Amino acid sequence: MLALQHAEPTPMNPDARQSHLRRLAWACLLLMLVVTTASAWLRLMQPRPVCDDWPACRGAESVGTMRAAEPVAAVRWLHRGAASSVLLLVIGVAVVALRHTPRQLEAGVIALLLLALALALSVLGIITPGSRSSAVLLGNLVGGFVMLALSGCLLRRLYPCAPPSRALAGWAMAGALLWAAQVSLGALSGVGRSEVLPLLHVAVGLIGTALGAAVAWAAFGQRRRLEGGALLVIAALQPVLGVGAAALAAAPMLVLVHNLSAALGLALLFGLGFDKRQRLPGGSTSRSAALSGSPSDPGDAGHPPLRRSTLPGLVAAVQRHRSAGD
């Protein structure tokens, strides 16, 4: 009996828990930005010659490249420390969201997905140390970007916002897939395995950028101005950064900013596409009303919400009961 009592979820103040979850989600998102940026920097610091016909020469080895061992080692330790911290944070989010009542199932599910991806990437790093295989490169790159996108989704779920329409969510998810393809093709183009990949990278990038700008404009019309504005800026910057990086022979700093803006754009598109909440009368959403744990009226704490349409019937039933008693 004692074991069963300990296994049951324990109550927790909704406001305190929401505050804890938001702090954990912010920390997770910022650390994932550190992880993805450090990972991109480490890829750029791999031995490669300076070239004028980028990205055709990225696959060649050269001992004449400028590389400092100390910064590379420091960034590698920063990457490992941030990744390990993210693993602990998502465990904390899952415990806070699912251990206490009322459970926040959506936040808990996202945290469990993040935990699974973090463990998978950890195993991949352990069994393929120092590998420069294309499959390992894509696994680490896409896995890190998806974790960043899920961290953004987790944070956005913890703040009230208007849900996107089904059409907007569908186009946003299509845009996220195009941006993920663009990122993958860009990484493969950088290792110089094929002359076709850079052309595909540019073509998919142009289509994805146009779709991202259209999604951003539509998000403005559905009261998602934060995501819409940020996505519009990123969609405008992506082609400029890409052309600048190619013109300057893949200057590491430009490639790094290009990679970071692509990661943020993918996260924004994925967040809009992953949002499956539906509108309810009065501006609330089906999932936020059920999972938030924060009643709209402080006086309703601890009581199930009543729909407005049921109140007249309830009043009539009370009046009939009183009349029967008299």
Side-chain angles (χ1 to χ4, degrees), residues 286-303:
S286 58
R287 291 190 180 182
S288 62
L291 301 177
S292 64
S294 300
S296 57
D297 185 356
D300 294 335
H303 300 281

Side-chain angles (χ1 to χ4, degrees), residues 59-131:
E61 293 285 348
S62 173
V63 295
T65 54
M66 52 177 183
R67 298 290 177 264
E70 292 80 5
V72 170
V75 173
R76 184 172 288 111
W77 279 108
L78 176 64
H79 176 268
R80 291 175 180 174
S84 301
S85 300
V86 168
L87 182 62
L88 297 176
L89 283 172
V90 296
I91 293 175
V93 171
V95 170
V96 174
L98 300 177
R99 181 68 181 87
H100 304 284
T101 56
R103 292 189 178 95
Q104 291 206 7
L105 296 180
E106 193 170 32
V109 169
I110 295 176
L112 292 177
L113 289 174
L114 282 167
L115 179 59
L117 281 171
L119 292 175
L121 291 176
S122 299
V123 172
L124 182 63
I126 292 173
I127 63 178
T128 59
S131 174

Side-chain angles (χ1 to χ4, degrees), residues 54 201 237-247 254 258:
W54 182 87
H201 171 61
L237 284 177
Q238 274 293 93
V240 177
L241 293 171
V243 171
L254 275 178
H258 185 54

